[in-house]
Amino acid sequence: MTAIDPSQLAEAREAKRTRRLTRINKAEGWFKVIGLPFMAPLLRAIAGDDPRGQMKLLWQTLFVPILSILCFLGLWAVLAPKVHTSLGTIPGPAQVWSQAVALDAAADREAERRVAFYERQEERNAKLIADGQRDKVQNREYTGRPTYYDQIWTSIKTVFMGFVLATLVAVPLGIAAGLSPTVNAAINPLVQIFKPVSPLAWLPIVTMVVSALASGDGGMSRSFIISAITVTLCSLWPTLINTSLGVASIDKDLVNVGKVLKLSPWARVTRLVLPSALPLIFTGLRLSLGVGWMVLIAAEMLAQNPGLGKFVWDEFQNGSSDSLARIMVAVLTIGIIGFLLDRMMFAIQNLITFSDKR
Amino acid sequence: MAVLELSNIRKDFGSQTILNGIDLAVEDGEFVAILGFSGTGKTTLINLMAGLEKPTAGSVTFRDKPVTGPGPERGVVFQSYALMPWLTVTSNIALAVRSAMPKLPAKDLAARVQKYIKMVGLTHAATRRPAELSGGMRQRVGIARALAMDPEILLLDEPLSALDALTRGNLADEIEAIWEADRKTVVLITNDVDEAIVLADRILCLDPNGTMGAEFRVTLPRPRGRTAMNHDPAFKALRAEVTGHLIAAGAHATE
């Protein structure tokens, strides 16, 4: 048996600690990007790096936000029962939570029903086949009520459809406007006029046009198309404006390099213009997705697209004693999903953004 | 034979005349330095040679053909490096090689890029982006990019003036060594008398009124390492002469 030198052991431990801290430092940027800024100081404190200093950071990044949320919940719980409406008092956090649980349970029940429906159908068909009545076999789709999760998913699909359409229009148009002052002069007045228009003003026009052009039975429902296009019309502008700004403000020296290299027009756009405008294009896209998500709820309410907007509207019309609590569940869901969408775009933006230093 | 010729050039910006009556002929294989105070139109002059700007009057010809725009046969090294910040060192140079030699097979292209990265001593940093490089390293990439395009003439627009004094001296020595090996025609714009004397065969002074001033031939033997030059009497005499002319021209302009 060899004796273990305690100083060597300590050295190895120290090296391990340094490695761990380097890894935490590297991950710190990502924690900030995904909205968990308290992770780095927390891990560092656990790893034993200046715990006292880390506590200060933790206080700001973790405890203060938690305290403020608790304060908000407390105020809400105290004040809500004092407001009387035709549907009873405003629900407090507890009632809203119980409605969230109820919506989840309803979704579970719906899923069970769906499974049971298909089981019955298969059983029936198997029996018919066994009896030699193959021509009587029928396969029907289950047509139950959409669950809360279905509605969330519909909203996300709709907003992305509108967002992708907006991107496909805004980015090329923005590049053209940024490259050519003439194009910019041509589209600028239109942008200025249409940018402030509310989705509620677009919706009737979009509804009429879509109703005239689309039959609505080609896989996508009319209400889906109407909501998505309304999102497109309202979320177009931030991307368009930021793209043209990003393209127009390319470093003059880099433009000169492009000239000396005699890049073809295509290479100029793909190798020079797009990469250098990318950070601003993504700023625009992030703003656009935020606007789109906000607009979507209003559009769904009026277009009756079966997403979160319709859920809120239906609950409002429904007017049961649980309605207000359910609407609040929807409000919180909308907020959290909006936050997640923004974080997602921010993460992508961070991945592709380069430092300004040349 | 003159490779690049400027005859009776005038350049106005608005109502202001920046350059006036410039006649200049750069011979094949020659290293010419154009020396002047800041604000005398040095950068404008090199932009005219590169074809990035057009003269108000007069003509720029390259191998007897008028210059109508920039092109890869006239490589430019910019004062501000002008590297694509989103590309690595390798990709920055590869972009230039690909545009200058579109028919080069991918394997030869990679080899060529590697060769020039090695020439400026950046093999260890080939995968880094400009933001991760020091100023001196960035300008090395700029020089490698210009050389890798195999230009017929190299136009250096104050390539070292954004660097600190030590890096500046070292890189000047390196530029001399690279030039010794390659013997390309070079036009260097600078405001540093020592730099001009160490590098050039011929020094042209650009006077503050935008006309060509005195011309000096540098006949010191190469290589002219900067440290050795500090004690060379011929170097010191030439430096005094050039500086004297510049100061006199500057004083004349402010009178």
Side-chain angles (χ1 to χ4, degrees), chain A residues 251-263 271-273 275-277 354-358, chain B residues 52 70-72 74-76 78 80-86 95-96 98-99 130-131 138 145 149:
Chain A
D251 195 296
K252 204 172 155 280
D253 284 330
L254 293 186
V255 175
N256 278 343
V257 171
K259 283 184 188 159
V260 171
L261 298 183
K262 281 209 162 153
L263 296 177
R271 299 195 173 273
L272 187 64
V273 171
S276 78
F354 51 84
S355 151
D356 283 333
K357 282 198 220 151
R358 279 176 291 117
Chain B
L52 290 166
R74 279 160 287 135
V76 185
F78 295 88
S80 61
Y81 322 128
L83 304 173
M84 314 289 173
W86 53 89
L95 175 67
R98 207 177 299 125
S99 341
R138 278 182 228 169
R145 176 173 66 181
M149 290 159 62

Side-chain angles (χ1 to χ4, degrees), chain B residues 41-58:
Chain B
K42 298 193 299 286
T43 294
T44 310
L45 188 60
I46 211 152
N47 281 350
L48 288 169
M49 294 181 191
L52 290 166
E53 280 175 45
K54 290 194 168 54
T56 313

Side-chain angles (χ1 to χ4, degrees), chain A residues 61-110:
Chain A
T61 52
L62 185 60
F63 295 124
V64 170
I66 287 179
L67 272 180
S68 89
I69 289 172
L70 288 178
C71 281
F72 171 76
L73 289 177
L75 272 175
W76 178 12
V78 171
L79 294 177
K82 297 189 177 156
V83 183
H84 295 273
T85 70
S86 59
L87 299 175
T89 60
I90 299 259
Q95 286 143 288
V96 170
W97 176 249
S98 71
Q99 278 310 312
V101 172
L103 281 169
D104 181 58
D108 282 348
R109 276 202 303 282
E110 194 63 26

